[in-house]
Amino acid sequence: MVKLVLSERELGQLFVMMMLAAVLFGVSGLVGMLVMQWVTRQRYAKDNIDKHGISRIDASRLGGAVILGLSLCFLFVRFAAGYQFSDVGPLGIQLWGWTAFLLSSGLGLIEDIDNDLLSPRSRLAILGLFFGLTFLVWPETIPNNIGYQPIDWIMSQPAIGWVLAVVFCVGFINAINMADGANGLVPGIVFLSSIIFHSVTGAFVWEVLSIVTGVFLLFNVISGRLFLGDAGSYGLGTILVLGSFYAVNTHWISVEFAAVMMSYPCIEILMSMVRRAVSGCSMLKPDNQHLHNKIYDRLRSRAKSEVLANSATGLLVAGASTGVAFLGNYMGWLSPLDEAWGWVFCVQVIVYFIAYALLSSPTPATANLTTD
């Protein structure tokens, strides 16, 4: 049964979210906000409050399904209105880009509806199959033209380039999935990345994604009751990685700029794998020793609201990673093609290690966190 009665606090939240959505995104924002509010009132596909080691309220895992549905709906409306889509960039609109996106989202949706139906190894294998087929049919997306001759030569070898591209994509999807749970972290990364990709490629699909993920970001940060879920993490992770590969390969952006854009999930997944291997644990086994967990724990001890601490964590991390690329590009400090972004990425790595070291002292809150 759907809960239709809202408390006074919930009504206040909804009013603020709808006002912001209308001001920032117009009618599309209002429609998206109402759909998201409706989804959170359903009783199915609820997230375990301990799943991510951060969230402490019941929330829906169907955020990814909502983003997918709204994006396709808005694209269809534009198509019906006579908008002429181009084939600029992945998903803008390229058949195999959409195929990979839909297949990845579908796999995640199965897990959202029936949690733990598939083992982690099974999901990795299926994702590997999806990306393997994508790169077989769409080989021009494999990054073999990034500007570093040794790497370009290796990636230009058909079998080696194919394997490395598949492995990287599967790892990146898991990095994105790992970060979902801190309100605003993954949505913030996707929102800012969509704006950047639209500014450099002009593909309309990135404009649509910036609107939909922007509305989701507002809802996620303010209410904390709607997560991306695996459908969102897998689908949007696929968009980001294929979009980055294509943009780098066609010289819309430099590989250094892409590294800054996606710095947090990439750094965090590598450090998590190293940490687990050193401790003798399986690299596939989740834990709550990520930087965003540690930041949240410190903020939670100081903030009165757990949602506020959660959202502040996500926005802080997203801002320090993709936000740096967005600000630098928007302000014109560096061109998206400038190799100097590599130094910015180095600074991000250093900041990550310093922050992790400073926040690694045990606290009562972190001692109680045992699951991802």
Side-chain angles (χ1 to χ4, degrees):
M1 182 178 179
V2 181
K3 179 182 176 183
L4 296 176
V5 179
L6 300 179
S7 67
E8 184 175 339
R9 180 173 178 274
E10 290 172 329
L11 283 172
Q13 278 187 343
L14 181 59
F15 176 77
V16 171
M17 292 188 295
M18 291 188 67
M19 287 293 293
L20 289 173
V23 171
L24 296 175
F25 306 107
V27 175
S28 298
L30 283 176
V31 172
M33 191 61 69
L34 289 173
V35 171
M36 292 175 192
Q37 175 65 22
W38 178 81
V39 168
T40 61
R41 313 313 294 179
Q42 312 308 305
R43 295 188 179 278
Y44 46 82
K46 289 294 184 179
D47 198 55
N48 186 325
I49 62 174
D50 293 320
K51 179 177 176 61
H52 300 279
I54 290 183
S55 177
R56 284 295 182 268
I57 61 175
D58 288 325
S60 172
R61 292 167 54 84
L62 294 179
V66 172
I67 288 176
L68 173 61
L70 287 173
S71 298
L72 292 175
C73 180
F74 291 159
L75 286 169
F76 177 78
V77 169
R78 281 299 187 99
F79 177 77
Y83 184 90
Q84 296 297 316
F85 292 98
S86 68
D87 194 35
V88 179
L91 310 171
I93 295 174
Q94 211 282 349
L95 177 60
W96 277 99
W98 277 110
T99 302
F101 171 46
L102 294 173
L103 288 176
S104 298
S105 297
L107 173 63
L109 184 59
I110 292 173
E111 188 67 11
D112 289 333
I113 295 174
D114 191 349
N115 199 15
D116 296 328
L117 176 65
L118 299 173
S119 69
R121 292 184 182 275
S122 297
R123 295 198 296 273
L124 288 177
I126 295 173
L127 283 172
L129 176 62
F130 289 167
F131 282 108
L133 291 174
T134 297
F135 292 128
L136 282 176
V137 179
W138 198 16
E140 59 267 29
T141 310
I142 296 176
N144 55 15
N145 190 29
I146 65 177
Y148 293 93
Q149 291 303 317
I151 298 177
D152 287 344
W153 183 85
I154 293 173
M155 295 302 296
S156 295
Q157 308 308 305
I160 298 176
W162 180 83
V163 170
L164 292 178
V166 170
V167 170
F168 182 90
C169 288
V170 172
F172 184 81
I173 299 302
N174 280 272
I176 290 293
N177 191 42
M178 167 202 69
D180 186 32
N183 296 342
L185 203 169
V186 175
I189 289 174
V190 179
F191 171 63
L192 294 173
S193 297
S194 297
I195 296 176
I196 292 171
F197 281 134
H198 181 255
S199 70
V200 298
T201 69
F204 176 69
V205 69
W206 293 113
E207 180 180 340
V208 171
L209 285 171
S210 68
I211 293 173
V212 177
T213 56
V215 176
F216 180 87
L217 178 62
L218 290 175
F219 195 96
N220 183 233
V221 166
I222 295 176
S223 74
R225 293 191 175 277
L226 185 61
F227 288 154
L228 286 175
D230 289 338
S233 299
Y234 290 5
L236 294 177
T238 297
I239 288 176
L240 290 181
V241 72
L242 291 180
S244 297
F245 278 9
Y246 185 91
V248 169
N249 237 16
T250 52
H251 299 296
W252 289 108
I253 63 176
S254 66
V255 67
E256 295 86 359
F257 183 73
V260 173
M261 285 178 61
M262 308 302 167
S263 57
Y264 182 72
C266 292
I267 296 171
E268 185 58 60
I269 191 65
L270 289 175
M271 290 308 303
S272 296
M273 293 174 67
V274 171
R275 184 182 64 249
R276 292 164 188 168
V278 171
S279 63
C281 298
S282 169
M283 290 190 293
L284 300 179
K285 184 178 180 180
D287 60 42
N288 284 315
Q289 299 304 310
H290 308 299
L291 179 60
H292 57 272
N293 291 95
K294 294 181 178 295
I295 294 175
Y296 167 74
D297 182 64
R298 294 304 177 91
L299 292 178
R300 187 178 62 176
S301 66
R302 293 167 172 79
K304 296 181 180 180
S305 167
E306 291 187 349
V307 173
L308 176 61
N310 190 338
S311 299
T313 298
L315 293 176
L316 176 63
V317 176
S321 53
T322 312
V324 173
F326 171 80
L327 186 62
N329 179 58
Y330 179 79
M331 298 298 294
W333 295 334
L334 288 174
S335 163
L337 288 170
D338 201 318
E339 295 180 359
W341 283 105
W343 295 106
V344 178
F345 179 71
C346 291
V347 172
Q348 288 179 314
V349 173
I350 294 172
V351 170
Y352 174 93
F353 279 108
I354 293 175
Y356 199 95
L358 292 175
L359 296 171
S360 289
S361 57
T363 65
T366 55
N368 294 327
L369 302 177
T370 58
T371 59
D372 202 14

